[in-house]
Amino acid sequence: MLIRPKAGILDPQGAAVERALPALGFAGVGNVHVGRLVELDVEDEAQLQPMCERLLANPLVEDYEVQLLDGGV
Amino acid sequence: MKFGVLQFPGSCDEVDALEAARRVGDAELIWHGERDLKGADAIVVPGGFSYGDYLRAGAIARFSPAMESVIDFAGEGGLVLGICNGFQVLCEAHLLPGALLPNENLHFTSRQVEVEVLSGGGAFTRACGPVTHPPQRLSIPAKHAWGRYYAESETLAAMDGSGQLVLRYAPGENFNGSLHDIAGVCNEQGNVFGLMPHPEHAVDELMGGSADGLRIFESMRMTVEGATR
């Protein structure tokens, strides 16, 4: 699960990284956002969305995206 | 009256909350694994770093057995005060609208703040006296890294209209970037209140020069005893 700050909500972590990159010589960087990655094994994929809604993300301030890896459909 | 003060793994302000509550009534600790609220007339969800703030501040504490009982207690009209991490827990439990996000400056900040008492939240601020213009101020400490209050603009407008904005950082005091300088909010029914600053750390002028925080606990006592008399 990829969890990131919702668009339009101030993301000070992303802004700090965006300011730091040019200081190291990386030019042309914009729109930096910092989120979270949650990896897990699950038997029933149908549980993933409710997991995100109820615990892993706060849908008021975060968007989430579910990606199925090995064996996923 | 009796206060019940919750204690999670990682709580650190429950002892000060007990001490503050005992200045106006009885108080007892309630371990997070217990469902029994021990006959408390009001609940305090204290500050600290419940469950290490893992995932998001307050996200995991919200599912503890004691919190399930607190959600029922609040639903029946019981008074619930959430301080700092407790405010975060109450938002995660959807007992209060909105969310607390990392401070705009990304720093953990510990300092005395001046907050203004707004018209909402009478059950928790009545001992502050009548609402005045300019508003009365309380001087209480704040110490947190995740205190930036956020709610969607329609929610904020509705909260303003229904008297749910209780405390606001005084001009120049909003160090965490909270929307509309919001420091404390209550639910629509007015029986659940959360704030980022720590009233339990300002109950004696010997400690930090202000006893303003005591008025929050005193207000709760007045509300409960008014209700039971």
Side-chain angles (χ1 to χ4, degrees):
Chain A
M1 275 79 95
L2 298 172
I3 299 153
R4 47 173 73 87
K6 264 195 175 161
I9 293 184
L10 181 69
D11 173 16
Q13 261 196 100
V17 173
E18 190 166 325
R19 285 193 301 273
L21 287 169
L24 296 174
F26 297 103
V29 177
N31 242 332
V32 178
H33 294 290
V34 178
R36 284 194 302 284
L37 164 69
V38 179
E39 285 184 334
L40 52 77
D41 293 339
V42 65
E43 286 174 9
D44 178 7
E45 291 160 15
Q47 293 179 332
L48 292 170
Q49 192 186 346
M51 271 181 211
C52 286
E53 288 284 333
R54 292 195 59 209
L55 179 65
L56 301 178
N58 180 348
L60 176 66
V61 290
E62 294 170 325
D63 288 326
Y64 61 86
E65 182 183 323
V66 175
Q67 293 185 359
L68 298 172
L69 303 175
D70 306 325
V73 283
Chain B
M1 76 161 284
K2 180 175 169 182
F3 289 86
V5 179
L6 300 197
Q7 183 182 42
F8 301 99
S11 291
C12 62
D13 298 321
E14 71 277 28
V15 174
D16 272 22
L18 267 184
E19 169 64 23
R22 283 181 178 147
R23 291 184 178 226
V24 303
D26 295 331
E28 188 171 348
L29 271 185
I30 298 169
W31 179 242
H32 73 115
E34 298 178 39
R35 288 185 189 276
D36 179 7
L37 300 182
K38 301 182 178 177
D41 301 300
I43 293 294
V44 181
V45 188
F49 303 87
S50 56
Y51 296 89
D53 276 353
Y54 295 156
L55 205 55
R56 295 179 307 280
I60 298 179
R62 171 252 176 282
F63 294 99
S64 68
M67 271 308 299
E68 299 291 347
S69 297
V70 169
I71 290 168
D72 292 341
F73 178 77
E76 292 158 8
L79 284 193
V80 180
L81 167 67
I83 303 168
C84 194
N85 188 228
F87 185 11
Q88 296 159 342
V89 172
L90 296 182
C91 287
E92 286 284 343
H94 304 301
L95 288 178
L96 290 172
L100 282 314
L101 295 171
N103 293 350
E104 190 172 348
N105 64 10
L106 295 174
H107 293 294
F108 180 94
T109 303
S110 173
R111 51 165 287 194
Q112 196 77 7
V113 292
E114 298 278 319
V115 293
E116 296 179 339
V117 181
L118 306 178
S119 57
F124 298 87
T125 56
R126 62 181 53 181
C128 302
V131 174
T132 55
H133 298 281
Q136 296 203 42
R137 288 186 174 194
L138 303 177
S139 174
I140 45 184
K143 44 166 196 163
H144 57 252
W146 282 64
R148 174 166 49 108
Y149 185 76
Y150 171 85
E152 289 171 332
S153 52
E154 312 83 71
T155 308
L156 283 170
M159 291 169 72
D160 194 14
S162 55
Q164 290 177 250
L165 307 182
V166 181
L167 297 177
R168 179 172 63 199
Y169 296 106
E173 298 284 293
N174 178 5
F175 65 89
N176 58 28
S178 289
L179 284 183
H180 300 326
D181 302 327
I182 291 169
V185 302
C186 67
N187 63 347
E188 206 174 344
Q189 295 73 24
N191 66 305
V192 179
F193 171 45
L195 76 170
M196 285 312 296
H198 288 263
E200 82 285 16
H201 292 335
V203 297
D204 194 314
E205 291 188 4
L206 270 177
M207 304 284 287
S210 166
D212 290 352
L214 203 52
R215 290 190 227 162
I216 304 293
F217 293 89
E218 179 61 14
S219 300
M220 293 171 73
R221 185 195 65 76
M222 290 164 71
T223 301
V224 167
E225 297 197 342
T228 54
R229 266 176 199 163

